[in-house]
Amino acid sequence: VICYWLLLLVTGGRRLGRWFLTGVLFVLNLEPKNAPRKFLARNHQLSDYQKKSNANFVKLSRKLYQLRQYKALVSARNFHQRSADLLGQVQRMQPLSNKDWLEEAVRKERLMI
């Protein structure tokens, strides 16, 4: 089975399609939690740097998804604090693929309170 996350990273999937399909996969639970990590670890065509940067992208994009789910459950103040923490993690994380995209996505989420 081809991991959807890595397929998007390799093909540079479109932004709208990425969010829609990612949401569908998470809602339907079609993607096991460890599948992207296992795929990255077993892929011998990627360098260690690429594996690490893609693994960090998967980790932080999962946190962004969880933050979106969390927004409906908490106060705006608490959500704002969590989103600020996530933005700080994105800015500090090295190496990280698609860093600009993740920063933009977190900033947009913070504005949508």
Side-chain angles (χ1 to χ4, degrees):
V1 175
I2 296 176
C3 174
Y4 173 75
W5 287 100
L6 275 258
L7 184 62
L8 282 177
L9 289 174
V10 172
T11 61
R14 287 183 252 160
R15 289 183 183 180
L16 293 176
R18 179 182 306 184
W19 279 115
F20 175 74
L21 292 175
T22 302
V24 168
L25 287 173
F26 274 103
V27 169
L28 296 178
N29 233 356
L30 295 177
E31 182 178 328
K33 185 175 183 178
N34 294 327
R37 190 166 34 109
K38 287 180 182 179
F39 179 82
L40 287 169
R42 294 175 182 169
N43 188 337
H44 299 292
Q45 294 177 340
L46 297 175
S47 69
D48 289 339
Y49 180 84
Q50 289 172 318
K51 287 179 184 181
K52 182 75 172 165
S53 67
N54 289 335
N56 287 339
F57 173 78
V58 170
K59 177 182 173 183
L60 291 176
S61 61
R62 272 212 175 101
K63 286 185 177 187
L64 177 60
Y65 174 78
Q66 291 170 348
L67 180 69
R68 287 182 171 181
Q69 301 303 312
Y70 182 75
K71 179 169 51 173
L73 304 174
V74 298
S75 67
R77 180 176 164 208
N78 197 352
F79 174 78
H80 188 71
Q81 179 60 40
R82 288 215 179 192
S83 62
D85 292 343
L86 181 58
L87 184 59
Q89 286 179 356
V90 169
Q91 291 170 341
R92 288 187 307 272
M93 184 73 69
Q94 289 294 330
L96 179 61
S97 60
N98 298 321
K99 187 174 197 168
D100 294 336
W101 180 84
L102 271 173
E103 284 181 4
E104 180 184 335
V106 173
R107 285 191 179 108
K108 282 182 182 178
E109 199 62 38
R110 292 184 76 190
L111 295 175
M112 299 173 86
I113 295 178

